[in-house]
Amino acid sequence: MQTNIEQLVRRYVAVWNEPDPDARRASIAELWAEDGVELLESAEYRGHRELEGRVTHAYQEFVAGGEFVFVPAGDAAAHHDTVSFRTHMVPVGGGQIAWTGTMVLELDAEGRIRRDLQFTAPVSPTRATVDAFLTRLGEGDPERTAELFAEPVDWWLDWPAEGHPDVPWIRPRASRADVADHFRALDAYHLPEKRAGELPTVLVDGPDAVVLGEIRQTVRATGTPYAAGCALRLTVADGLITRYHVYEDSLTVARAFRSGSAV
């Protein structure tokens, strides 16, 4: 069921980015029931013809010029015949979220959308900075990632203060140059094309945020893969990360680099 939900969300978001009119029309017919309706706070669009006009207009306004793209937030949930999730509109080249919508979809017996309720969700400054950080981190851009950090930054990782010989990138950091060096070193010791994991869960409370996820990396020197649970505690002020605390399964990471065998 969860896989089907994730597929539905991916297909839903993709239709708003679809450049080909025929493919867009076909996707709308597959996603929405013939009498399906989208309800905005100020308008409604009923049936495939009106839905096609609505999606085409949004594509031409936001996506066609190459400035923005719509992406799923990775927070889909389902209850009976109802699915909810958020969609972000982000700059194509990366950067802070320009818009977030919360979607609530009511599905018919065939799994097609009969009611699509869309709410514009305000994005907190903290969430916008955290999302920008995760985007730049995923793109493997140490310098642009470091631009999101304050100077000095309260930097802490759950390792001994003197570091550990098996993981030489772990050391105290304070400046943006230090932060860029940290993420550059991570890239140097890992195979970046094999480090993707599940989308993290992000919890925000005012200026503070917690990011929960799993690191999936492969050691560059030996080809040893590993997976380690990880939590980030972040504090944001004026759009910059002032606190960066990392809690991870350090033993798994050290073993992967020490033994050269899968863990």
Side-chain angles (χ1 to χ4, degrees):
M1 180 62 178
Q2 187 63 34
T3 299
N4 293 337
I5 293 169
E6 292 171 355
Q7 291 176 349
L8 172 65
V9 171
R10 285 196 295 269
R11 290 168 52 215
Y12 179 94
V13 174
V15 76
W16 301 88
N17 297 319
E18 178 55 61
D20 182 77
D22 292 333
R24 188 187 308 131
R25 185 178 305 113
S27 295
I28 289 170
E30 293 173 358
L31 280 166
W32 277 273
E34 291 185 9
D35 60 347
V37 58
E38 182 187 40
L39 301 174
L40 308 183
E41 297 173 26
S42 59
E44 71 174 58
Y45 302 87
R46 190 175 299 275
H48 289 170
R49 184 182 296 274
E50 291 188 8
L51 287 165
E52 182 182 348
R54 152 71 173 150
V55 175
T56 299
H57 178 76
Y59 171 80
Q60 292 174 343
E61 182 176 1
F62 301 112
V63 180
E67 184 176 1
F68 295 106
V69 66
F70 292 100
V71 297
D75 58 356
H79 191 283
H80 289 78
D81 61 351
T82 302
V83 178
S84 67
F85 58 94
R86 290 180 307 141
T87 299
H88 299 316
M89 185 174 74
V90 298
V92 170
Q96 294 193 357
I97 296 169
W99 173 87
T100 290
T102 297
M103 317 300 172
V104 179
L105 309 182
E106 297 178 9
L107 308 180
D108 63 16
E110 297 178 351
R112 294 195 299 175
I113 303 166
R114 55 189 177 89
R115 281 169 58 88
D116 173 0
L117 288 81
Q118 183 182 119
F119 303 87
T120 296
V123 180
S124 74
T126 299
R127 178 72 197 226
T129 299
V130 172
D131 285 339
F133 164 71
L134 294 174
T135 297
R136 297 183 188 188
L137 185 64
E139 292 171 348
D141 192 332
E143 281 69 31
R144 291 187 67 243
T145 301
E147 291 173 359
L148 294 170
F149 284 75
E151 289 188 300
V153 61
D154 177 6
W155 179 280
W156 184 84
L157 288 88
D158 60 339
W159 289 81
E162 63 275 12
H164 192 287
D166 292 324
V167 284
W169 63 86
I170 302 296
R171 63 174 180 80
R173 310 279 180 170
S175 68
R176 290 192 185 115
D178 288 337
V179 172
D181 179 72
H182 172 81
F183 292 114
R184 198 179 301 113
L186 279 175
D187 287 344
Y189 282 91
H190 296 90
L191 296 176
E193 71 273 12
K194 296 184 179 181
R195 66 182 180 183
E198 297 296 324
L199 290 172
T201 297
V202 180
L203 308 174
V204 175
D205 183 9
D208 298 311
V210 174
V211 181
L212 304 172
E214 184 179 56
I215 302 169
R216 291 184 176 274
Q217 299 267 32
T218 300
V219 179
R220 186 185 293 273
T222 64
T224 301
Y226 68 87
C230 181
L232 305 178
R233 181 188 178 190
L234 309 177
T235 298
V236 175
D238 298 325
L240 296 176
I241 298 170
T242 61
R243 172 177 5 196
Y244 184 81
H245 290 189
V246 181
Y247 306 85
E248 64 183 4
D249 181 359
S250 307
L251 182 59
T252 291
V253 179
R255 282 177 173 171
F257 277 85
R258 181 186 309 130
S259 65
S261 59
V263 291

